[in-house]
Amino acid sequence: MHYNLWSMQALQDGAEDGKLILDLSQNMCNNGQRGLFSMAIHPNFLETRWVYLYYTQWREGCLEDAIMGPQNVLVRYTMNPTSLALENEEV
């Protein structure tokens, strides 16, 4: 897998271009020290198809406010075995 600030792609056999499997551009703040911090694959991925992401969740304006500002979340997605898309977000 390959990811940038907003999206993740599945790469196959060393290919440079991949298939878009997740777009976080509407769900994530990346100003300051925010963004996608980590990704982990479940140890039994072949059975569960679960992928975990830890990122700063979008809140209006991504303001610097301890109460109303963005917060970091751990989210579990299930990879669709046909399309490879990450679906069924669970916070």
Side-chain angles (χ1 to χ4, degrees):
M1 282 191 207
H2 170 74
Y3 66 91
N4 60 28
L5 286 176
W6 303 110
S7 63
M8 298 179 72
Q9 296 180 346
L11 302 175
Q12 186 174 13
D13 298 327
E16 292 184 23
D17 294 325
K19 179 178 182 166
L20 181 67
I21 60 172
L22 182 66
D23 181 359
L24 291 170
S25 62
Q26 302 301 310
N27 299 9
M28 185 173 66
C29 291
N30 69 345
N31 58 327
Q33 294 183 355
R34 299 177 175 152
L36 177 61
F37 296 109
S38 62
M39 177 186 77
I41 305 297
H42 190 277
N44 285 333
F45 175 78
L46 295 177
E47 292 177 27
T48 65
R49 300 187 326 266
W50 291 342
V51 176
Y52 297 90
L53 301 179
Y54 181 64
Y55 64 90
T56 307
Q57 190 173 45
W58 170 264
R59 286 230 179 136
E60 189 61 38
C62 291
L63 302 175
E64 299 288 338
D65 184 293
I67 297 172
M68 298 304 295
Q71 45 191 306
N72 295 332
V73 293
L74 177 62
V75 181
R76 182 180 77 195
Y77 291 91
T78 302
M79 181 175 275
N80 181 310
T82 304
S83 69
L84 301 181
L86 295 179
E87 304 169 339
N88 305 322
E89 175 182 45
E90 293 186 35
V91 179

